[in-house]
Amino acid sequence: MSDRIAEAVERGREKLLGPRVVNFNNGMQLVIKINVPQPSITLQKDSKMLLDLRTFAPEGTHIRYNPGGKWGAMLGNETQSPSILIGKFKGVDSALDFLHECGHLHNETLTDLALTAERRYSEQYFGKVPSDHSKERIQALKQRHEAVMYSERNAWAFSLRTVRNLEREFGVNILEQMHGNDGLLSYINNYLREYESQTMTELEYLDLPVVTFDQMRDMLSTLVS
């Protein structure tokens, strides 16, 4: 299904059935709307908005709906405001995903370092022969991996702190719906493993296969020492 069709389907669903909603144990709701000038994620009670989660993003952040389903954040520049892409709605975890993207925007330095490391590796080595095991290439891969993981962990830490503050302030049972701290950490770790898997895939392409993430990290350190 193309993005255009997917967006039309979701907008049609919202017109017919109303916005996506998560109900909390105290009568409050997390409400996600896309059929508005700017999509929103809000906490409401009795149809009255109590908090717009956009307030956790830097001032001027533009919110957009991504029919492709992927959540994302883009840094601003001199001519463009920062933006957050609202991705696939799965439930209460949408609050964590949104706040995670806010976290990326709140630490522009880490986010930019990760993007720069990814771009540098791609520009220098994408399409190059896998037999190139030069120290420079492995060093660039290691820098990409570490910059991305540091940025991701920082953004998830922001999300987790904010969720816990929301629970204290509004009494919403986000952690309970995520199956407690273990469920929440499992959710976050699944995302982090996706990024580690990207590095493992690149090592496999270089014919330097590893079985575990610990082995991957050890290999990266050994090859550049």
Side-chain angles (χ1 to χ4, degrees):
M1 183 184 298
S2 70
D3 286 355
R4 183 175 299 178
I5 294 175
E7 182 169 3
V9 168
E10 179 60 25
R11 290 188 181 278
R13 192 216 65 81
E14 185 173 302
K15 287 180 181 178
L16 181 64
L17 301 175
R20 301 280 189 174
V21 172
V22 174
N23 294 304
F24 295 111
N25 56 354
N26 59 355
M28 293 186 64
Q29 295 178 318
L30 181 74
V31 181
I32 300 180
K33 295 181 179 180
I34 65 169
N35 283 329
V36 287
Q38 189 164 186
S40 64
I41 301 182
T42 60
L43 282 176
Q44 298 185 13
K45 189 166 187 177
D46 300 326
S47 300
K48 179 182 179 181
M49 188 185 75
L50 301 180
L51 176 69
D52 188 337
L53 268 62
R54 184 183 175 189
T55 59
F56 293 108
E59 185 176 357
T61 298
H62 187 71
I63 312 299
R64 294 189 288 137
Y65 173 64
N66 180 18
K70 186 175 177 61
W71 292 78
M74 288 175 283
L75 298 176
N77 53 42
E78 294 179 354
T79 60
Q80 189 173 353
S81 299
S83 61
I84 290 177
L85 297 177
I86 291 181
K88 184 177 181 180
F89 176 88
K90 302 183 290 293
V92 72
D93 42 14
S94 294
L96 280 92
D97 292 336
F98 183 84
L99 293 170
H100 170 78
E101 304 307 336
C102 291
H104 277 305
L105 296 182
H106 273 292
N107 199 319
E108 293 186 4
T109 299
L110 289 184
T111 302
D112 186 59
L113 285 172
L115 292 172
T116 299
E118 287 183 299
R119 183 171 60 251
R120 182 182 296 122
Y121 186 82
S122 178
E123 290 174 351
Q124 292 179 343
Y125 299 108
F126 181 76
K128 296 293 180 66
V129 294
S131 58
D132 174 16
H133 296 166
S134 65
K135 186 173 182 178
E136 291 76 16
R137 182 173 192 166
I138 302 302
Q139 179 67 47
L141 179 59
K142 183 173 185 285
Q143 289 174 345
R144 185 192 77 173
H145 176 78
E146 291 177 345
V148 168
M149 294 302 294
Y150 193 23
S151 177
E152 289 298 318
R153 288 193 178 100
N154 179 78
W156 281 118
F158 177 90
S159 177
L160 184 55
R161 288 194 305 270
T162 308
V163 162
R164 286 172 171 159
N165 288 337
L166 291 177
E167 289 212 319
R168 285 192 292 267
E169 183 174 356
F170 295 97
V172 290
N173 60 328
I174 297 174
L175 289 178
E176 181 182 327
Q177 294 200 36
M178 293 294 296
H179 305 292
N181 285 324
D182 288 344
L184 179 61
L185 293 177
S186 175
Y187 180 78
I188 292 173
N189 285 332
N190 282 337
Y191 272 97
L192 293 176
R193 279 193 289 269
E194 288 184 16
Y195 289 99
E196 292 207 295
S197 293
Q198 292 175 11
T199 303
M200 290 184 72
T201 298
E202 184 66 12
L203 288 173
E204 290 174 1
Y205 172 73
L206 298 177
D207 198 26
L208 296 169
V210 290
V211 176
T212 69
F213 293 134
D214 286 339
Q215 289 175 337
M216 176 194 71
R217 290 186 286 268
D218 289 343
M219 178 179 286
L220 288 174
S221 296
T222 300
L223 292 174
V224 299
S225 60

